[in-house]
């Protein structure tokens, strides 16, 4: 028996749990600025993630590590001003929560107070238990992130699929249960075997959002620049491009340059 889809004027943490319970898949996309977030929100995306992937797609860094807390708050503030329906989650950047639970709380509080965001995301399991606990005790919603955790890329040494071996898979399952028990409202699973992701999703009551984790989870997340084809050199198996904006934008800009050079732009109808 199918369950009628519930309409949400504003998506909340509670909404996501309800979606899982009702079997409704959760859509999540990244955004880092007002204009893009306004489009994403109007398209009825459930969750906007202000990801530290801004370090890559906005700032051009090789990894997510260089982006700062101040920069994340700046991007998050822009997104929050645009989002009228979506839940806005913000990544706490590398070095702002891992080693010191008090610093983790300060970072989370700054994000919530200065950006107006609705929740924060952290990467890792048992290693960051104290930081997660302290943030949650302050009443700040937290979503976890397991599997391939980009902030730990230099430990992994590669962006390959994680948790293929039994030992790592068992730890991931244990960490997922721990994050649920601590009070996290959801978990992102990145680039792990689909069967493992499905097992985790079925073993916990909180939503599991996948990226490169198959279709047995409760929702999906992609980087919006990848989905729209603004990036063109990044081609993982899990990515479906819905547009090819790189070519379209390049063509349009080249045409503009040609029109300026030829004195075709502006024409008589485009001046005062």
């Amino acid at each position: 028996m199918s369950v009628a889809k519930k309409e949400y004027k504003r998506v909340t943490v509670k909404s996501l749990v309800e979606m899982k319970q009702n079997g409704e898949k959760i859509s999540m996309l990244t955004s880092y600025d007002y204009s893009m977030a306004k489009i994403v929100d109007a398209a009825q995306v459930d969750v906007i993630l202000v990801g530290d992937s801004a370090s890559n797609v906005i700032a051009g860094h090789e990894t997510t590590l260089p982006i700062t807390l101040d920069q994340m708050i700046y991007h998050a503030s822009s997104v929050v001003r645009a989002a009228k329906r979506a839940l806005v989650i913000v990544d706490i950047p590398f070095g702002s929560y891992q080693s010191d639970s008090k610093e983790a709380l300060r970072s989370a509080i700054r994000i919530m107070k200065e950006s107006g965001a609705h929740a924060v995301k952290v990467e890792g399991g048992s290693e960051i238990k104290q930081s997660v606990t302290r943030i949650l005790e302050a009443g700040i919603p937290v979503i976890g992130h397991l599997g391939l955790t980009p902030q730990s890329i230099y430990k992994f040494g590669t962006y390959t699929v994680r948790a293929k071996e039994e030992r790592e898979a068992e730890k991931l399952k244990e960490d997922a249960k721990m994050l649920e028990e601590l009070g996290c409202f959801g978990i992102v699973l990145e680039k792990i075997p689909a069967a493992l992701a499905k097992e985790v999703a079925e073993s916990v009551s909180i939503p599991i959002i996948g990226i490169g984790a198959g279709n047995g989870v409760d929702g999906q997340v992609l980087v919006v620049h990848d989905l729209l084809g603004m990036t063109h050199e990044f081609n993982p198996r899990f990515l479906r491009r819905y547009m090819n904006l790189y070519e379209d934008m390049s063509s349009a800009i080249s045409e503009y340059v040609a029109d300026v050079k030829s004195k075709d732009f502006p024409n008589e109808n485009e001046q005062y």
Side-chain angles (χ1 to χ4, degrees):
M1 180 178 176
S2 61
V3 179
K5 180 181 176 181
K6 182 175 179 178
E7 296 296 327
Y8 294 97
K9 291 184 178 179
R10 167 64 83 176
V11 178
T12 65
V13 168
K14 182 173 179 288
S15 307
L16 301 186
V17 175
E18 288 179 349
M19 288 180 189
K20 173 166 181 148
Q21 292 171 345
N22 294 334
E24 179 184 348
K25 297 292 187 179
I26 299 164
S27 60
M28 181 189 293
L29 278 177
T30 64
S31 290
Y32 318 101
D33 65 85
Y34 176 85
S35 297
M36 184 70 81
K38 193 170 184 181
I39 296 169
V40 169
D41 187 66
Q44 299 286 289
V45 167
D46 298 314
V47 183
I48 296 177
L49 172 64
V50 185
D52 56 7
S53 48
S55 180
N56 308 110
V57 297
I58 301 298
H61 294 295
E62 184 179 357
T63 72
T64 62
L65 274 61
I67 199 163
T68 67
L69 182 61
D70 285 339
Q71 289 168 334
M72 288 301 301
I73 290 170
Y74 167 79
H75 288 297
S77 300
S78 302
V79 169
V80 167
R81 285 191 284 270
K84 305 304 179 186
R85 176 184 178 273
L87 179 78
V88 178
I89 300 172
V90 182
D91 272 331
I92 305 183
F94 175 74
S96 302
Y97 65 94
Q98 286 93 339
S99 62
D100 183 345
S101 62
K102 291 182 179 180
E103 182 180 16
L105 178 58
R106 286 193 294 269
S107 299
I109 288 174
R110 280 199 62 200
I111 287 172
M112 301 295 284
K113 284 178 67 69
E114 296 178 35
S115 76
H118 310 129
V120 297
K121 181 167 77 65
V122 293
E123 296 183 6
S126 57
E127 308 85 3
I128 60 165
K129 181 178 180 179
Q130 289 184 338
S131 292
V132 172
T133 299
R134 193 176 285 267
I135 296 170
L136 287 167
E137 286 177 347
I140 298 172
V142 176
I143 185 169
H145 184 152
L146 300 172
L148 176 63
T149 48
Q151 291 180 7
S152 302
I153 188 57
Y154 289 126
K155 179 180 78 173
F156 295 145
T158 175
Y159 286 102
T160 191
V161 176
R162 304 304 312 174
K164 290 192 294 183
E165 302 298 328
E166 183 177 355
R167 183 176 179 181
E168 188 177 350
E170 285 301 317
K171 183 180 186 309
L172 187 145
K173 288 188 284 187
E174 291 170 3
D175 283 340
K177 291 295 291 183
M178 182 206 74
L179 291 172
E180 178 187 32
E181 290 168 2
L182 289 178
C184 290
F185 69 87
I187 302 170
V188 172
L189 293 182
E190 182 168 356
K191 215 167 182 182
I192 67 170
L196 174 60
K198 184 174 186 292
E199 182 181 350
V200 172
E202 291 174 349
S203 71
V204 297
S205 60
I206 57 177
I208 301 297
I209 310 297
I211 176 167
N215 63 7
V217 292
D218 304 304
Q220 301 293 330
V221 58
L222 285 175
V223 171
V224 70
H225 290 66
D226 297 336
L227 175 149
L228 295 175
M230 296 175 73
T231 55
H232 67 291
E233 297 173 340
F234 181 60
N235 294 295
R237 182 189 299 184
F238 64 78
L239 174 59
R240 180 182 296 183
R241 285 196 168 90
Y242 288 81
M243 296 184 73
N244 190 347
L245 279 186
Y246 180 85
E247 289 188 4
D248 291 344
M249 293 171 71
S250 296
S251 176
I253 293 167
S254 295
E255 187 175 350
Y256 161 76
V257 172
D259 287 348
V260 170
K261 297 292 186 182
S262 68
K263 303 180 183 179
D264 179 70
F265 176 79
N267 61 32
E268 290 184 2
N269 294 325
E270 295 165 332
Q271 57 191 1
Y272 297 97

